[in-house]
Each structure stands twice: as structure tokens, then as C-alpha cells.
DNA sequence: CTGTTAGCGCGTTCAG
DNA sequence: CTGAACGCGCTAACAG
């Protein structure tokens, strides 16, 4: 493996000149430049970036902390981040934390040991995170919720949930069930807030028995749907906090002989690819996943460049998509 | 940011001793060890891994080349790779190539410039890849097909397709349509081979008109299904080369009033989460995605350790899952 | 067991 | 415009 020294010898020039030829060609005579390039070609020289990074004290890399990479929403966010990083010449280190605090810490370690320059966290922030030394390193939270104590790119979960539920109410629904994520998940909390606000504004009392807890998986949606199908007074609409649970619930409800949307309306959250194609097509909220990724990468790079970020919280617009899984309740 | 030198001063020991205390504690007296640890604690010292890597000429990182990270199958493979790398203390660099050769080259560049030690390629190999200098760097192909010219972890696509089609034949089907991926995609080629073999063994002639080309997306499956539903003599079964297309096709066929599986049986490939829950649940082939990832990472690490790999091609078993989307043809 | 020394490959002075 | 020399932080010899 040839080094810059080999190139300098081959070209009959000094190391410094070769270095300059590479990083500031305009500071070198065309003749020297050519000699350098010829030598590089001949020796198949490739600069050792490990050395460069060491020298420049910059890893040119960012870490993405993702709770679960096999989740389409996260994958899309990552894709957005990646494309921005790519253009900036930065590498993206993948940190699949599997929801483990210990693993998360290990990945944060990467930037503390200069293997990466900053972090993008794709997990919603929750109170007891204060342990995490994320505050000490350049970090951005994407896909977060309200009240995240560091720079954030997110959607308005409260508002989105409210919009969905208001729509159901506008169709004439009054008994609206909800399948939540895990109780303490910040997304759950925010979306539940929106649900309650919509009810309140329509003077509908909140009914605890219309609430079933899931964990954002398809299976849990199916489970939760049983809670409702067993009720004597089945709700006429179901607000599910993500599409996977909605699809699970649809499956469960249909198996009980309920017709969608005539007997019961269903809404989701996320707009998965399949949601357009399930039966009936699902009314849902589309998050601009790629955009969230891009924006958070932009924000992180601002932080790294030590520019005063113009803004430290971005709330991106969602798109409420009405399909055929919702209809007025039966008279 | 304190360095090892600061620690050595604080501890009243030499740099070398500090270094040893960190990498080979048993070579240092307990007293010295304590002094070092105290100093580290006091100064909040974190070793500069950039320097270590430079010194050791090892990036301790691998690159994953993935055509599209927002694809659940790939995401799972990545997850498997990641968990193995994690244990080995290696970082994973994400290379979302978006099917672009240029981007791919850029990522391969990462190992040529020592920013990574090896590569795992998640795209099936095809002939004209020979341009790529992958041969020059430690690389493993995961999710590949037959005849990949470098170490590979894969499933037997031909055999799997054959098993599916043989099953359909065993149910009594004779007119079996197929929705393929893009014609030149190696997966398409392998699976088509299996399809033809199964037909041949049952003495059923191959009929070109029963073949519709898709591109592995849901939408293309829906499109392709129209080709069949318009036929006067609709096939009694449809072998789809992945689940997404199968789900799209199911949607298309149902909209034409066909009943599944009574009027037409459908099979997929991949076993997505939703496939269990669609209506009817899809008969399909499950690939051991995580396992593929783990195994390919293991293989790459063998290569990096310059052990003679015991094996350079692993063919992992698939699981054929029979659900309710398949049934005997109507009499 | 410990300390001294040299150098990894590169960028960056500072003279010429 | 060019080259010699230094040092980034760390590890690996070697000598004590």
C-alpha cells in the first residue's frame, strides 16, 4: 500500500507538494501537478483517510441511533439522513439500539471517542433519558415529541391525532375507541392528548373503557381489537396509533363478522405502503419520513459547523389521507 | 480534551504505562492501575480512537451496501449483521446505494481509503459487476444468487421457487401464472428457473403467456394481475416472486370479483409481517433474513482475520409456509 | 513492572 | 511555488 511519501519520491517532488496537489491544486504548477497525478496513477495511490481524520481531528461521520431498523418508518428517515450525509462527504454509522439503553450508551461512546462527530437520535425523548450524556455531544432528535431538551425535528403528534379524531367526529362518530402504543411511550402520550382535545372540543366525555393498549405491532392491534369486539356497545370508530395496529385490528374485527367501514370505521397513523392496499384502504396520517431525516441531518451539520442554528426545533407538516376505512356511523 | 499524556502526568507515570493499563491491565501493578484510573476519572479522559485506528491501521468498521434500506428484507439482514459487528466491536457504515453504481463505487472507496475494513454487499451479483473493484477488498455477498464470484451467503432461490410451484401442482394446478421481478434481476432468473423445473418435472409445458413482469413493488403486482384477470382462461394459481407483488395482485384480483383461494390460489416470497394478516393469509417462503446477516458478518470477519474460511458459500434453509391463499383448483 | 524512544501518514508551518 | 521539519495521540519495541 503506497503512501504519500512513495508518491513524492516517484514524482521527484516533496511530500508537501503532493499534499498540496491533492488538497489545493491551484497552489501548484501544472507541471508538478501532472507529475503527481502520473505518480499516483502509477502507484495506485489512495490517501489513507484514517490518517487524515486523525490529523484533522474530524471523523467525518455521524451516528444514527435507531430503536429498530426493521421498521419502515425509521428506515425511511435513515434514508433521508443518509442522502444528506452522502452529499456532505460524511459516513453514516448505524446504531441499532434494540431499545437498549446500554447499547445506546455504547454508540454515544463513538462520538466521545471521536469515531463520529455527532448523533441523530430516532427515539422519542423521555424524562429518564437525562442519564444519557447526549447533552455533551452534538445531537439532534428526529421523530421526537414535544419538550425534547435538545434540537429536534418532528411532527405535531398532538395536532395530527386531533385532526384524525375531529374528522371522525365530523362524520358523526361519538363513541370512538383508541388503540394506543405502550402507555409511557411519548408518541402515545402526545397522540392521546390530541385524541382527548378533539373529544373535549366536541363536548364528548372521555371514556377510559374505550382505550386499549397495544405496542405498535400488528399482533397487538389484533389483540386490542378483541377488547372492542367483545363490548356490548361496540364503538363506531377506532383510532389506532399506527398503521400496523390498524391492520391487525381490521383483521380482528373482520373475523368477528364486522364490516368495515359500515359497522366500524378505522384510522391509522404512518401511511405504510400496504395501507393503501389493504381492504378497505386505510385512512391514515402520512409523516414526511424522508424529509424528517434530511432536515435533521441538515440541522446536525449546522451544529457541527458551529453555526448558530437558525432554529432548533422544526415541526414538519403531516398529510391526513382519507381513504375508504372511514365512513359515517350507521344510523 | 485530555490526552493520554495528560493522564500520565496526572498519575505520575509514563505514557506507556497508561497505555498498558488500558489495553493489558495484567501487565501493570495494582497500585499503578489505580493511579491511572483515578487520573482518568479526574480528567474525564476518553481515548482518541481516531488515533488508535490510525496507529493500528484498522478501521474496525465494515460497510453494508444496500440497494434500498426502506425494504424490510434488507433491514432485517442489516439488523443481523449489526448485532454480530456490535459484538466484535466493529462499527457498521451504512451505504444506501439506491441502485446506483456510482454511489456503490463511492462506498467501496471507503475501504480502499481504510475507513472500513470490509464490505457486505446486499445486492445480487450480476455479470457486468466485474467493473467493480470489489474483488480487491474483503467482501461478502449476502442475499445473492448462484454463481457469485466471491464469498456468499444466500438461500437456494431455484429450489425454493421449485418447492412452491411443486406444491401448487400437487394441489392439482396446471395453469400456473407467475409474476416476476425485473427480467434481468438475478433473483428473477433463479426463481424462474425453479418455476420451470417444477413444471418440467410434472410434464407441464411452459407457457410464455402465463408470465407477467413486475418490479417487486406492490403496485407492479397489482398491474400484473390485470394481465391475468383479463385472460379468457384465467390461471388457477399465481406464483408471485415476492410478497409485495402478491399482496398487490390479491388486491387486483379481488377487485375483479375473483375469490381467493377458491377461484385462484396465490403464493408470495419473503414472508413479510403483513403476509400473515392479509386476506386470505398468504402462502409464502420465509427467508432467514437475520441469519443471513449474521452469517455473512461472521464470514466477513473470518476473511478479515485472514483465517482460511472454512467455507466460502453458505446456502441457508428457507421455510415454506402454507397459509390460506392456496387451495386446490375448482373442479 | 516501568520508562524512553521511534514512528504510523498526513497537513502545516516556515524558510527558501 | 516548493521542501524540510514537526507533531497530532497512540502503540510497540527495547532497555532498564
Amino acid at each position: 500500500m503506497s503512501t504519500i511519501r512513495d508518491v513524492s519520491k516517484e514524482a521527484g517532488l516533496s511530500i508537501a507538494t503532493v499534499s498540496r496537489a491533492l488538497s489545493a491544486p491551484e497552489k501548484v504548477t501544472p507541471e508538478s501537478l501532472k507529475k503527481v497525478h502520473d505518480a499516483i496513477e502509477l502507484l495506485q495511490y489512495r490517501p489513507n483517510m484514517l490518517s487524515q481524520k486523525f490529523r484533522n481531528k474530524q471523523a467525518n461521520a455521524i451516528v444514527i441511533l435507531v430503536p429498530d431498523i426493521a421498521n419502515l418508518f425509521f428506515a425511511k428517515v435513515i434514508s433521508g439522513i443518509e442522502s444528506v450525509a452522502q452529499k456532505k462527504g460524511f459516513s453514516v454509522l448505524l446504531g441499532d439500539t434494540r431499545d437498549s439503553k446500554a447499547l445506546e450508551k455504547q454508540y454515544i461512546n463513538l462520538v466521545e471517542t471521536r469515531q463520529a462527530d455527532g448523533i441523530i437520535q430516532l427515539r422519542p425523548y423521555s424524562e429518564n433519558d437525562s442519564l444519557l450524556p447526549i447533552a455533551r455531544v452534538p445531537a439532534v432528535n428526529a421523530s421526537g415529541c414535544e419538550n425534547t431538551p435538545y434540537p429536534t425535528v418532528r411532527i405535531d403528534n398532538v395536532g395530527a391525532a386531533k385532526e384524525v379524531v375531529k374528522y371522525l367526529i365530523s362524520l358523526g362518530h361519538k363513541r370512538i375507541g383508541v388503540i394506543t402504543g405502550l402507555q409511557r411511550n411519548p408518541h402515545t402520550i402526545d397522540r392521546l392528548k390530541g385524541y382527548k382535545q378533539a373529544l373535549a372540543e366536541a363536548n364528548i366525555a372521555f371514556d377510559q373503557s374505550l382505550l386499549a393498549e397495544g405496542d405498535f405491532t400488528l399482533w397487538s392491534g389484533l389483540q386490542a381489537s378483541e377488547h372492542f369486539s367483545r363490548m356490548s356497545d361496540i364503538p363506531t370508530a377506532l383510532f389506532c396509533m399506527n398503521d400496523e395496529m390498524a391492520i391487525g385490528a381490521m383483521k380482528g374485527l373482520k373475523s368477528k363478522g364486522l364490516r368495515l367501514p359500515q359497522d366500524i370505521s378505522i384510522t391509522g397513523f404512518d401511511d405504510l405502503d400496504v395501507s393503501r392496499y389493504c381492504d378497505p384502504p386505510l385512512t391514515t396520517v402520512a409523516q414526511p419520513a424522508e424529509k424528517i431525516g434530511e432536515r435533521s441531518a441538515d440541522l446536525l451539520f449546522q451544529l457541527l459547523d458551529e453555526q448558530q442554528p437558525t432554529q432548533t426545533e422544526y415541526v414538519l407538516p403531516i398529510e391526513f389521507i382519507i381513504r375508504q376505512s372511514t365512513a359515517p356511523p350507521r344510523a
Side-chain angles (χ1 to χ4, degrees), chain A:
Chain A
M1 209 91 295
S2 49
T3 74
I4 198 172
R5 158 174 256 110
D6 301 325
V7 176
S8 76
K9 277 186 193 149
E10 180 65 35
L13 292 164
S14 75
I15 295 181
T17 305
V18 177
S19 175
R20 273 189 290 259
L22 259 29
S23 58
E26 72 279 6
K27 292 187 172 179
V28 166
T29 38
E31 299 88 63
S32 297
L33 206 57
K34 180 171 176 2
K35 282 187 201 162
V36 169
H37 283 144
D38 288 350
I40 287 178
E41 185 69 24
L42 183 68
L43 298 171
Q44 291 281 317
Y45 167 73
R46 319 272 0 227
N48 182 338
M49 299 300 288
L50 242 36
S51 172
Q52 268 190 32
K53 288 171 160 184
F54 166 53
R55 177 63 228 234
N56 299 335
K57 300 175 188 310
Q58 253 240 345
N60 274 275
I62 61 178
V63 184
I64 304 182
L65 256 37
V66 47
D68 174 21
I69 197 195
N71 172 306
L72 225 42
F73 175 72
F74 291 136
K76 284 183 180 168
V77 177
I78 292 173
S79 186
I81 295 172
E82 220 267 349
S83 74
V84 172
Q86 158 72 34
K87 279 176 202 136
K88 267 266 185 180
F90 271 63
S91 310
V92 169
L93 289 163
L94 191 64
D96 191 344
T97 63
R98 292 183 194 72
D99 280 316
S100 143
K101 286 273 162 68
L103 278 180
E104 212 166 83
K105 203 153 187 178
Q106 243 182 75
Y107 284 111
I108 294 173
N109 196 33
L110 286 180
V111 2
E112 295 186 324
T113 59
R114 283 77 143 198
Q115 299 184 75
D117 305 308
I119 284 191
I120 297 181
Q121 164 72 281
L122 297 195
R123 180 171 59 75
Y125 172 86
S126 56
E127 302 273 329
N128 53 346
D129 271 9
S130 41
L131 323 163
L132 291 182
I134 247 190
R136 295 204 320 240
V137 311
V140 169
N141 186 295
S143 116
C145 297
E146 294 185 336
N147 306 320
T148 302
Y150 56 99
T152 306
V153 178
R154 61 179 184 92
I155 60 160
D156 176 10
N157 278 284
V158 180
K162 188 169 165 182
E163 183 171 352
V164 172
V165 178
K166 280 183 88 161
Y167 169 71
L168 290 172
I169 293 172
S170 77
L171 288 177
H173 294 281
K174 292 192 161 44
R175 271 182 73 73
I176 301 174
V178 48
I179 300 183
T180 72
L182 288 176
Q183 227 172 20
R184 308 182 47 183
N185 180 299
H187 285 140
T188 302
I189 295 170
D190 279 9
R191 292 174 194 171
L192 196 58
K193 201 190 227 174
Y195 168 82
K196 288 181 178 171
Q197 284 183 7
L199 292 189
E201 287 185 12
N203 290 313
I204 301 176
F206 171 70
D207 179 352
Q208 183 75 30
S209 74
L210 290 178
L211 192 150
E213 185 179 10
D215 62 4
F216 292 121
T217 64
L218 230 154
W219 178 246
S220 74
L222 201 158
Q223 293 279 303
S225 73
E226 306 224 338
H227 167 74
F228 295 111
S229 57
R230 271 199 304 262
M231 292 175 96
S232 54
D233 189 9
I234 297 179
T236 61
L238 216 47
F239 166 53
C240 304
M241 289 198 182
N242 79 353
D243 280 10
E244 298 196 39
M245 294 194 296
I247 292 170
M250 279 172 42
K251 172 90 178 166
L253 296 170
K254 282 200 282 189
S255 75
K256 303 294 181 190
L258 289 164
R259 289 165 311 159
L260 311 177
Q262 299 93 320
D263 296 329
I264 182 164
S265 288
I266 295 234
T267 66
F269 208 108
D270 279 352
D271 192 33
L272 301 184
D273 280 357
V274 286
S275 303
R276 263 181 80 181
Y277 297 102
C278 52
D279 183 28
L282 188 64
T283 293
T284 189
V285 171
Q287 300 194 47
E290 292 236 7
K291 275 263 177 328
I292 291 176
E294 292 165 13
R295 184 62 58 85
S296 36
D298 285 336
L299 185 51
L300 181 57
F301 286 126
Q302 277 186 38
L303 258 39
L304 292 180
D305 293 346
E306 297 198 353
Q307 294 170 11
Q308 204 59 265
T310 46
Q311 219 178 320
T312 58
E313 177 161 36
Y314 289 89
V315 178
L316 267 37
I318 54 95
E319 188 186 355
F320 181 41
I321 301 173
I322 299 175
R323 299 208 182 93
Q324 287 80 57
S325 68
T326 43
R330 305 173 66 192

